[in-house]
Amino acid sequence: MIILGFESSCDETGVAAVCTERGLLAHALHTQIAMHQEYGGVVPELASRDHIRRVIPLTRQVLDEAGLQMSDVGAVAYTAGPGLAGALLVGASVAQSFAWARHLPAIGIHHLEGHLLSPMLADPRPDFPFVALLVSGGHTQLMRVDGVGRYELLGETLDDAAGEAFDKSAKLMGLGYPGGPALARLAASGDAARFDLPRPMLHSGDLDFSFSGLKTAVLTRVKAAEAAGGLDEQTRADLAAATQAAIVEVLAAKAVRALKQTGLKRLVVAGGVGANQLLRARLAAALKPLKATAYFPPLALCTDNGAMIAFAAAERVKAGLAVLDADAPHSFTVRPRWDLAEIG
Ligand code: KG4
Ligand code: ZN
């Protein structure tokens, strides 16, 4: 069965076609980063309007690239939450309209389930069970994954998400939006050892995280540098490197602890921060002594995309967890706040 999937929860419009037997057939993405950049963050109303503009051309592109007719599509999937309400409504209404017009079943997908399963789009594909480190702009969670729909929360952030820590620290250093990639780029020419930043909750003995204190520590360093004559380029790079090192060290240490605690040998990293090269290198090194393996989504599928939504729907269909009812009413709702533990 071919599933057409739509992602529109934040500032990326993603569309993809996935076949339950053959996997990913085609995907297309439009990122709104350039549009939101001048405001220093995502403007929800602009995001919604841009999703409306992009979604149909992207759908045509995906069908063309996959060599599909609309009549080949067997089901439609969309991100039902969590995310920005107006933005979510665009993907949901387009998907439900498509399903209504073609008399197809429509499947609402949890955005984080999309991220969680996205490393299975890579080759080699991890087998269940595994520990998942979900690190995005809005979430930082460690989960035990025993199968599709079988997710157990092991630990999570008590305040800021890892991506948020990157973004907020980057903003303090005068870097643009989104801060994560910009901070990582600047860190490449910096010396992490110059600043001793805190590693929040590194030794807390559990699997929870806290990143808001790190942001405060970065602010203190920025103010001190400014008072001492200005934040020069090398100081900014050194501070970026130190910030990245602190976040990565905590993420890697807790991921290792989760593997030890569960006795599992596979770690799957998903979400935008999974694109971070230092995190990838650190995890690879930290997992070696445990004889454990780290799996990452293909770099292009780390941040938000339609492929992970269509793929999660396909996996739910194969696991018998999706209701495939073309006669179901096409009324719909979205859930801007939605706990992954609530889905079955
Ligand atoms: O998963 P995602 O695209 O969107 C959410 O669902 O939040 O993640 C976006 C987050 C942002 O905070 C961004 O700064 C961060 O991922 N990010 C990175 C990198 N690329 C994206 N953080 C650190 N290093 C990167 N290379
Ligand atoms: Zn995301």
Side-chain angles (χ1 to χ4, degrees), residues 9-311:
S9 66
C10 190
D11 58 347
E12 261 101 24
T13 321
V15 182
V18 164
C19 173
T20 46
E21 286 78 41
R22 287 179 292 145
L24 180 61
L25 302 179
H27 76 109
L29 189 73
H30 174 76
T31 176
Q32 303 175 352
I33 285 177
M35 185 180 76
H36 296 295
Q37 225 147 24
E38 62 177 297
Y39 304 99
V42 178
V43 183
E45 182 61 22
L46 293 182
S48 310
R49 290 175 192 212
D50 201 58
H51 286 309
I52 294 172
R53 267 194 297 273
R54 307 290 175 180
V55 67
I56 300 296
L58 288 173
T59 306
R60 291 214 173 92
Q61 187 184 330
V62 165
L63 292 174
D64 281 354
E65 277 176 22
L68 297 171
Q69 307 293 321
M70 280 205 219
S71 55
D72 296 324
V73 176
V76 181
Y78 61 95
T79 306
L84 301 171
L88 287 165
L89 282 169
V90 178
S93 52
V94 167
Q96 290 285 3
S97 308
F98 192 106
W100 174 76
R102 309 291 318 176
H103 193 65
L104 297 173
I107 307 164
I109 293 292
H110 194 294
H111 181 80
L112 292 183
E113 184 173 39
H115 276 305
L116 202 63
L117 300 179
S118 61
M120 297 174 74
L121 282 161
D123 187 20
R125 168 186 169 137
D127 290 324
F128 298 116
F130 54 75
V131 169
L133 174 66
L134 250 174
V135 273
S136 71
H139 294 85
T140 301
Q141 297 184 332
L142 276 161
M143 320 230 19
R144 181 190 168 109
V145 179
D146 284 293
V148 178
R150 295 170 62 200
Y151 314 126
E152 181 198 338
L153 183 66
L154 301 172
E156 64 183 334
T157 183
L158 305 178
D159 40 57
D160 291 352
E164 216 174 343
F166 270 107
D167 293 341
K168 287 181 175 172
S169 303
K171 206 167 191 173
L172 292 172
M173 291 171 214
L175 300 173
Y177 157 87
L183 190 148
R185 263 194 308 277
L186 184 60
S189 54
D191 172 15
R194 179 167 159 204
F195 293 100
D196 187 20
L197 293 178
R199 268 66 172 152
M201 294 183 72
L202 185 62
H203 302 295
S204 63
D206 57 19
L207 296 173
D208 288 334
F209 304 86
S210 165
F211 289 109
S212 65
L214 180 63
K215 175 188 63 196
T216 312
V218 170
L219 177 63
T220 310
R221 303 306 191 282
V222 168
K223 283 199 168 145
E226 280 170 352
L231 195 60
D232 63 74
E233 201 50 33
Q234 192 56 52
T235 305
R236 277 176 5 132
D238 294 344
L239 194 51
T243 306
Q244 176 177 246
I247 298 171
V248 164
E249 186 180 337
V250 177
L251 292 176
K254 297 274 172 161
V256 164
R257 174 179 279 275
L259 288 171
K260 285 184 177 159
Q261 191 174 303
T262 56
L264 298 180
K265 294 288 179 198
R266 285 179 287 268
L267 176 76
V268 156
V269 184
V273 181
N276 187 276
Q277 294 301 328
L278 183 68
L279 178 65
R280 289 180 173 228
R282 253 314 176 83
L283 283 173
L287 265 51
K288 238 187 195 151
L290 300 178
K291 298 199 168 31
T293 314
Y295 297 84
F296 298 89
L299 216 46
L301 301 182
C302 270
T303 48
D304 293 348
N305 63 84
M308 69 183 193
I309 300 304
F311 180 75

